[in-house]
Amino acid sequence: MEKKKLFRAILLIICLLTVMLGTSLTVNAADDKLNKTSLSLNVRSTYTLSVNTKNKITWKSGNSSIVSVSPGGKVTAKKPGTAYVTARIGSKTQKCKVVVFSAKINAASKSVEVNKSFQLKVSGGAVSRWKSSDSRIASVTSSGKVTGRKTGTCIIYAYIGNSRLSCKATVTKKSGTKVPAGGTKTAVLIAHRGAGNREPENTIPSFQLAAREGYRAIECDVRETKDGALVISHDASLLRMCGVDRQISDLTLKQIRRYRIISGNGAEKYQNLKIPTLEEYLKVCNQYKCTPVIEVKTPMSEKGIKKLYNTISGSVKPPVVISFSTKILVSLRKYDSHLSLQKVSKTWSQSLLDTCKRYRFDLSLGDTAFSVQNAKKVHQAGLKAGVWLAENKSQILKFRSMGADYITVNI
């Protein structure tokens, strides 16, 4: 009887061990699985692979010119093609097939009035779905048609494989009346980055359209290249406009000229549109007898500042140089005591006004900081007051009534 009990106990233990071991093997097998066995990525997009294991993982790309992989499993798509990423865990290996494509959206940013629409298109890939980050502001159909619902800003996404493209949608009120190009009786209107709502911003076609429509002042953004050239670009990187994630300050002018502009309103009309130089921008202003309004971006070397001053000396109309950087404006003031300089600021303070008064800088404020009281203080200091940005005639008239001398507008 005792032998039978002992035999049953041993048999039960064996069964329990078998079940536990089987479960452990099952869990371990599941733990060693990649979270993805195939990926479809756009050029320059990333995806992080992972394996649910405590063991060391060694990652390797079968073709690093197509995809690279970091020690942490972050896959970066580099150029179109197919490659395999391998994860080695001990003696086991797992593979993920990565297909890289090159897709582009026809606009990186777009403005639209309430109840008006525009069409987004993607080339180089099949969109699986469209999505708005806030459909209360702008909705998007399954075919990429975007409709403004209420004023505000949101992002429209186009999903392709395991990547997505985006377009910043800004919805404005119905203007009812066209923005007056020449300005008002007491304020000069400045075309922001040219006609950036209808042409790719900060380009020759954008500047030309603003000039043809009668704008007396045209604004641009200037940056310094690696070899000291001065080019027109709002962003420090070429990513948004040219689709290349490279810094302007790290590139020579010749290198920048290799890339064409692929984003912006109406960019699809142009096959070989390039980032312009400061000289090319001034040529348009001189041709149409417009006032150049040049925002100097940082970083800008002292040598670059001197070159900028020498370049704008060839302007037909007296130029206006503006910047968020007090240091840059002070440097320019040393070159010319009469040059029209304008400090740009999102906020107001008395110390800001004191600095402007000391160096004779006019002051341009963001629309939330601009007020009747602040404009009056600027005028009492013997300076001119500017404001940015206006989207329609009603806003222009409001800012004029508040005392603005310069009004920067999106057109």
Side-chain angles (χ1 to χ4, degrees):
M1 191 67 164
E2 292 296 327
K3 288 183 178 180
K4 286 184 179 181
K5 287 182 178 181
L6 180 62
F7 177 75
R8 288 173 183 172
I10 294 172
L11 185 61
L12 180 61
I13 291 170
I14 291 173
C15 291
L16 288 172
L17 287 172
T18 302
V19 171
M20 291 171 65
L21 182 61
T23 302
S24 176
L25 289 171
T26 302
V27 170
N28 289 338
D31 283 351
D32 289 344
K33 293 286 186 179
L34 270 171
N35 61 331
K36 288 282 185 181
T37 56
S38 64
L39 288 173
S40 182
L41 297 176
N42 195 21
V43 171
R44 294 179 298 278
S45 62
T46 62
Y47 190 93
T48 300
L49 293 172
S50 64
V51 180
N52 187 18
T53 180
K54 295 181 180 179
N55 298 321
K56 180 182 178 181
I57 307 171
T58 303
W59 299 93
K60 184 179 179 182
S61 170
N63 190 334
S64 57
S65 67
I66 295 175
V67 293
S68 62
V69 60
S70 73
K74 184 179 180 180
V75 178
T76 301
K78 302 178 76 173
K79 72 175 185 179
T82 301
Y84 284 86
V85 172
T86 303
R88 180 177 291 277
I89 310 102
S91 60
K92 296 180 181 180
T93 59
Q94 297 285 335
K95 286 187 176 183
C96 176
K97 180 181 178 181
V98 184
V99 178
V100 180
F101 56 90
S102 180
K104 297 172 183 176
I105 196 164
N106 63 329
S109 62
K110 199 88 170 176
S111 293
V112 64
E113 292 182 357
V114 172
N115 295 329
K116 294 291 183 66
S117 302
F118 64 88
Q119 182 67 47
L120 287 177
K121 295 179 181 179
V122 170
S123 59
V127 179
S128 60
R129 67 187 177 101
W130 293 87
K131 181 182 178 182
S132 170
S133 65
D134 193 337
S135 58
R136 297 170 300 175
I137 294 173
S139 61
V140 59
T141 67
S142 58
S143 62
K145 183 179 179 180
V146 180
T147 302
R149 300 300 178 189
K150 72 173 186 176
T151 57
T153 300
C154 66
I155 307 298
I156 305 298
Y157 295 107
Y159 289 86
I160 309 171
N162 299 101
S163 299
R164 68 183 185 184
L165 301 175
S166 63
C167 172
K168 179 181 177 182
T170 301
V171 182
T172 62
K173 293 180 180 179
K174 289 185 177 181
S175 60
T177 308
K178 185 179 178 181
V179 173
T184 67
K185 291 180 180 179
T186 57
V188 174
L189 299 189
I190 303 171
H192 186 229
R193 306 177 199 171
N197 280 354
R198 285 169 287 167
E199 295 284 357
E201 65 178 54
N202 274 328
T203 62
I204 297 302
S206 182
F207 301 140
Q208 289 172 333
L209 178 57
R212 287 196 301 268
E213 293 200 347
Y215 282 84
R216 302 189 328 227
I218 301 174
E219 186 259 1
C220 75
D221 303 281
V222 173
R223 291 187 179 276
E224 185 178 11
T225 67
K226 183 179 180 180
D227 57 344
L230 299 174
V231 295
I232 309 300
S233 175
H234 176 271
D235 297 358
S237 166
L238 296 177
L239 181 61
R240 182 169 65 92
M241 297 302 290
C242 298
V244 180
D245 193 9
R246 301 193 68 182
Q247 297 292 304
I248 287 174
S249 59
D250 293 335
L251 300 171
T252 64
L253 177 60
K254 186 177 180 180
Q255 289 173 316
I256 291 171
R257 292 292 205 180
R258 293 174 185 168
Y259 303 111
R260 67 184 184 91
I261 292 173
I262 60 173
S263 295
N265 296 316
E268 67 277 2
K269 297 183 293 185
Y270 304 100
Q271 296 301 313
N272 199 35
L273 191 60
K274 305 289 187 178
I275 298 285
T277 62
L278 177 61
E279 291 85 354
E280 290 168 338
Y281 157 79
L282 287 173
K283 186 176 179 180
V284 175
C285 292
N286 288 343
Q287 178 186 352
Y288 291 93
K289 295 181 175 57
C290 297
T291 297
V293 180
I294 302 160
E295 181 176 342
V296 185
K297 296 290 191 180
T298 56
M300 177 78 68
S301 68
E302 191 62 38
K303 186 177 179 180
I305 294 171
K306 185 175 181 179
K307 181 175 181 178
L308 182 141
Y309 175 71
N310 291 333
T311 302
I312 63 176
S313 297
S315 175
V316 171
K317 291 283 188 178
V320 178
V321 180
I322 69 177
S323 183
F324 282 91
S325 170
T326 301
K327 182 180 178 180
I328 287 174
L329 295 176
V330 169
S331 293
L332 284 166
R333 179 57 77 218
K334 293 176 183 177
Y335 289 112
D336 192 332
S337 61
H338 300 291
L339 180 62
S340 179
L341 299 175
Q342 201 173 108
K343 169 70 175 177
V344 184
S345 178
K346 293 180 180 179
T347 59
W348 164 271
S349 70
Q350 184 60 46
S351 62
L352 173 65
L353 180 60
D354 292 341
T355 299
C356 291
K357 187 176 180 180
R358 177 183 177 187
Y359 294 103
R360 299 185 311 284
F361 301 154
D362 292 328
L363 180 56
S364 181
L365 294 167
D367 54 7
T368 57
F370 189 81
S371 67
V372 173
Q373 184 181 14
N374 290 342
K376 185 177 181 180
K377 289 180 180 179
V378 172
H379 292 149
Q380 287 173 342
L383 308 172
K384 292 183 178 180
V387 61
W388 47 279
L389 286 163
E391 299 283 355
N392 51 54
K393 184 178 180 181
S394 63
Q395 291 178 346
I396 289 171
L397 295 176
K398 180 186 76 171
F399 290 137
R400 184 193 70 172
S401 68
M402 293 168 68
D405 301 297
Y406 298 100
I407 303 172
T408 302
V409 298
N410 277 331
I411 66 167

